[in-house]
Amino acid sequence: MKKIRHIILAACAIAMSAGASSCLKYEKKANSSTTGTTTMVCDASFQNIMQQEIDVFEYQYPDAHILARYEPQNVAVDSLMSLNTKTIVIARDLTDAEKRVLRSKKKVVKSAKIAVDAVALIVNKENPLEMLTVGEVADIIAGRSMEWNDLEPSELGQIAVIFDDKGSSLVSYMRDSLLAGEPLGPNVYAQGSVPKVFETVKENRNAIGVLGVSWITSDMSGPDSIAADMLSDSPVIGATLTDDIKVLKIRRNDEVTAYKPYQQNIFDGSYPLFRQIYMITTGVSGSLASGFYSFVTGETGQKIIMKTGILPARTRIQVVQLGEDE
């Protein structure tokens, strides 16, 4: 039996800088770092991560209201560039050209990597497959391997690759990192949302889903329970993966060992499919947009990210032995 090494958030490298809220009624509040209303646009593949951040922030600061839209990444970038929102969360940093455009509009841009997300491959529990190489994943999404029998002897039929949206950052990541920009195969389908990817795989033995690992971790409790945990000084134990579907192990083409997208394997680089998550804001200092940015990049926000199953970017962690895996 192989020991699973879970990772625990031991201490954060930075401190939260959001200001204190006052006691006036919300209707009479001016916008501050912890009061008022602001908007943001988040890449839809990170919705469950950012919604946890919003829930805890609003629980801690009841006079703050974060109005979030969850859209494809290109929509989020367009919203920021057109000044329709001050904050976005996407799977890349802004380019130098994009930052120059915003500066030309008298905007000061703050940007931080907030997490590292593993891209998980999931199949139906009745699918006997346990592992794929990176090359086999590329062949599947390119349409070069169209049948499960192309990978190993199988009674299953044609492979259906399921993404959330045709404009998803997950599509861009897989196409750019595995196919060098070549088009996806005819066996690739968009279901319209990440939850639908999960449900399709649960119901279809021939499907393979592509989604961020935070969508397949154990359910988190409500914002009040999360807030109590996050605002304490206790260490935060990383999330575990659901058993409602099968999460495939992935190995690099030149390696023998395959890995699941556990936080430990993201942390040490063993799991080969991962991407960065960035939070970007043009909110001025003292605004709610800036306060929420400080919260997410600070101690409490990074603890929440740990709890969702991905790897926080700005924390110190320690690895402990907590269980066993087959």
Side-chain angles (χ1 to χ4, degrees), residues 4 12 32 46 67 72 74 79 82 121 133 141 179 183 186 205 222 247 261-262 268 287 296 316:
I4 296 178
C12 288
S32 75
F46 306 136
L67 305 181
N74 63 317
S79 295
S82 60
L121 282 298
T133 67
I141 65 175
L179 303 184
R205 296 196 312 157
V247 182
Y262 294 122
D268 65 15
S287 68
V296 174
R316 295 191 298 270

Side-chain angles (χ1 to χ4, degrees), residues 6-76:
H6 291 261
I7 60 179
I8 292 181
L9 183 58
C12 288
I14 57 175
M16 183 176 66
S17 61
S21 61
S22 74
C23 57
L24 297 177
K25 296 294 184 182
Y26 164 66
E27 290 80 0
K28 298 180 181 178
K29 290 290 186 180
N31 191 287
S32 75
S33 60
T34 57
T35 62
T37 302
T38 190
T39 65
M40 66 171 294
V41 184
C42 176
D43 184 314
S45 62
F46 306 136
Q47 177 175 347
N48 59 333
I49 301 167
M50 196 50 50
Q51 194 58 52
Q52 301 289 350
E53 298 278 4
I54 293 170
D55 287 347
V56 176
F57 184 79
E58 292 182 342
Y59 179 86
Q60 186 176 3
Y61 304 110
D63 292 313
H65 302 271
I66 313 294
L67 305 181
R69 290 169 47 211
Y70 299 100
E71 304 281 0
Q73 177 169 280
N74 63 317
V75 175

Side-chain angles (χ1 to χ4, degrees), residues 21 24 56 74 76 78 94 110 130 137 152 176 184 202 285 296 303 314:
S21 61
L24 297 177
V56 176
N74 63 317
D78 289 345
L94 294 182
K110 291 188 290 186
E130 298 290 342
V137 175
E152 61 179 36
D176 295 345
L184 304 179
K202 284 181 65 176
S285 179
V296 174
K303 281 185 176 182
R314 305 183 68 186

